[in-house]
Amino acid sequence: MERKPQESRKGLTHKAVSRIVVLLLAMAFMNVLLYLCLNQLFISPQQSTEDPRSCPYGYFRMGQMKGCSPWLSCEELRTEVRQLKCIGEGAVKKVFLSEWKERKVALSRLTSLEMKDDFLHGLQMLKSLQSKHIVTLIGYCEDDNSILTEYHPLGSLRNLEETFNLSKYQNMNTWQHRLQLAMGYVSIINYLHHSPLGALVMCDSNDLPKTLSQYLLTSNLSIVANDLDALPLVNHSARMFVKCGHRELHGDFVAPEQLWPYGEDTPFHDDRMPSYDEKVDIWKIPDVSSFLLGHVEGSDMVRFHLFDIHKACKSQNPADRPTAQDILDAYQKVFNSLRDTVRSQTREML
């Protein structure tokens, strides 16, 4: 009779031990799960270098289209595209949200015949530069002065902060995703400087808001160049350089060589204004990247690590500035370094 309490205590002890073991296993499982989640959150995957929409010249693919289709003709634009509403207007063209085969598309129309040369230049650039870096061309009609491209509802890079405020994208508002946006922007500049046509200069970028308006934000938070109306060609071997427009430029956003060099007392004359090369785009990269990095946790840490390459971008002598590829390599190195630091800290925390 006296042994029953001892047996009861032994039973309770075994039960307690079993519960502790289960609890420890659950905690270990949760730690592993937490590590994997943090790893996924803080360590963003590398972007693919391949273009999933790649099609032969004269063809396009967008959205969920399985195959490539020929660029739409004048007749198809006139009969198959339904214009809905105006969503933007610039000096060269007016843009309308439109519909084609139940897909939203962007229809651009020439605003004034005086700007037709710029409009046709933009069309030629779209046709020649189709890649993952450039908005998808769907069709065009020179007779009607119209161009049809893929529609991106998030709009231009000027809407970046508003986009991150949307519930769908709030969890992506991190220094990792923002640095990848900056890398995407520099990748576009690098592509233009080494395009199939040669070294092209993004001239329509005399201030930050104007520069941001030249790029669109896709639904998966990547960047594509959209406005290609002012992309003059530099030919170093032939000593052919460019000038962005025919008016005097001001401010510290544009490169020093874009400013009138003869002082305020000498009236501006376009004929006397020296030309320059693609290094003017390099000067602007730190300002655009700073906007893209924003002011989230960790963004100042990224700026600190990018200080040296950005300082080099601001060299007064264009020849001393790095190439876009140099900058892209530096961005990737900083991204990898900070990613590894976060990974190490995550492991230590667990």
Side-chain angles (χ1 to χ4, degrees):
M1 296 294 293
E2 294 179 356
R3 296 177 60 183
K4 288 185 178 180
Q6 289 181 347
E7 293 176 355
S8 176
R9 284 196 295 270
K10 286 182 180 180
L12 289 173
T13 302
H14 286 305
K15 288 182 180 180
V17 170
S18 299
R19 289 175 180 173
I20 291 172
V21 169
V22 170
L23 182 61
L24 289 174
L25 288 173
M27 291 176 64
F29 174 76
M30 290 300 295
N31 273 347
V32 171
L33 187 62
L34 179 60
Y35 173 77
L36 292 174
C37 290
L38 288 173
N39 217 32
Q40 183 67 26
L41 176 64
F42 287 111
I43 304 167
S44 302
Q46 297 288 332
Q47 294 183 347
S48 172
T49 57
E50 298 181 359
D51 182 9
R53 305 165 304 157
S54 180
C55 291
Y57 182 84
Y59 291 76
F60 75 95
R61 180 169 58 198
M62 65 174 183
Q64 302 302 314
M65 291 177 61
K66 294 182 179 179
C68 297
S69 297
W71 288 335
L72 303 189
S73 64
C74 288
E75 181 63 25
E76 289 169 315
L77 286 180
R78 292 166 186 160
T79 59
E80 298 180 10
V81 177
R82 185 165 67 96
Q83 186 174 299
L84 300 177
K85 64 177 181 179
C86 180
I87 56 174
E89 183 174 2
V92 177
K93 55 185 178 287
K94 184 179 291 187
V95 184
F96 297 88
L97 174 63
S98 303
E99 196 172 56
W100 172 71
K101 293 187 175 180
E102 299 183 351
R103 293 182 174 92
K104 294 294 188 294
V105 290
L107 178 65
S108 299
R109 296 191 182 277
L110 177 66
T111 56
S112 169
L113 289 177
E114 297 177 356
M115 307 302 294
K116 185 165 184 175
D117 288 345
D118 289 340
F119 184 83
L120 293 178
H121 175 76
L123 172 59
Q124 185 57 46
M125 293 297 103
L126 272 175
K127 292 164 63 178
S128 302
L129 300 176
Q130 284 296 289
S131 71
K132 67 176 183 178
H133 301 294
I134 308 297
V135 69
T136 299
L137 176 64
I138 300 174
Y140 64 93
C141 181
E142 292 190 29
D143 292 342
D144 297 343
N145 298 313
S146 59
I147 302 172
L148 193 69
T149 56
E150 186 174 6
Y151 172 65
H152 293 284
L154 295 180
S156 79
L157 273 183
R158 297 180 67 170
N159 302 328
L160 181 62
E161 297 305 324
E162 290 83 351
T163 297
F164 276 130
N165 285 331
L166 299 175
S167 58
K168 180 180 178 180
Y169 296 105
Q170 284 180 354
N171 67 329
M172 301 178 72
N173 191 14
T174 63
W175 68 261
Q176 291 94 334
H177 285 100
R178 284 177 172 270
L179 180 53
Q180 287 192 318
L181 278 173
M183 291 164 64
Y185 163 70
V186 177
S187 294
I188 295 174
I189 298 298
N190 187 50
Y191 174 69
L192 294 178
H193 289 181
H194 299 87
S195 82
L197 304 176
L200 299 170
V201 180
M202 180 59 88
C203 261
D204 215 353
S205 56
N206 295 331
D207 56 53
L208 181 59
K210 182 65 174 176
T211 301
L212 297 173
S213 70
Q214 309 304 300
Y215 303 90
L216 294 176
L217 194 60
T218 71
S219 57
N220 64 352
L221 287 193
S222 60
I223 302 174
V224 291
N226 177 56
D227 197 335
L228 308 179
D229 300 335
L231 279 181
L233 178 66
V234 171
N235 188 330
H236 286 276
S237 59
R239 304 295 298 170
M240 290 176 56
F241 302 105
V242 305
K243 288 188 286 188
C244 292
H246 304 286
R247 299 179 181 180
E248 183 177 4
L249 300 178
H250 301 276
D252 56 8
F253 182 81
V254 296
E257 61 269 29
Q258 293 184 273
L259 302 175
W260 178 244
Y262 302 113
E264 296 180 357
D265 296 334
T266 304
F268 176 83
H269 288 285
D270 185 48
D271 293 340
R272 296 185 60 196
M273 180 67 198
S275 55
Y276 33 82
D277 64 13
E278 70 274 15
K279 287 299 185 74
V280 298
D281 289 335
I282 301 299
W283 173 275
K284 301 164 187 174
I285 285 176
D287 299 287
V288 177
S289 290
S290 182
F291 170 83
L292 296 175
L293 288 173
H295 298 284
V296 298
E297 183 179 355
S299 60
D300 286 339
M301 172 184 60
V302 176
R303 287 186 180 88
F304 173 78
H305 286 277
L306 295 178
F307 177 82
D308 289 339
I309 191 68
H310 283 173
K311 182 179 179 181
C313 292
K314 294 294 187 178
S315 297
Q316 292 292 312
N317 182 359
D320 294 335
R321 295 173 202 156
T323 65
Q325 185 62 57
D326 293 333
I327 301 168
L328 192 57
D329 291 343
Y331 279 26
Q332 187 67 61
K333 184 177 180 181
V334 168
F335 181 87
N336 292 342
S337 174
L338 295 179
R339 177 197 60 190
D340 293 343
T341 299
V342 170
R343 176 184 292 165
S344 176
Q345 291 174 344
T346 304
R347 286 172 176 168
E348 290 177 2
M349 182 177 66
L350 298 177

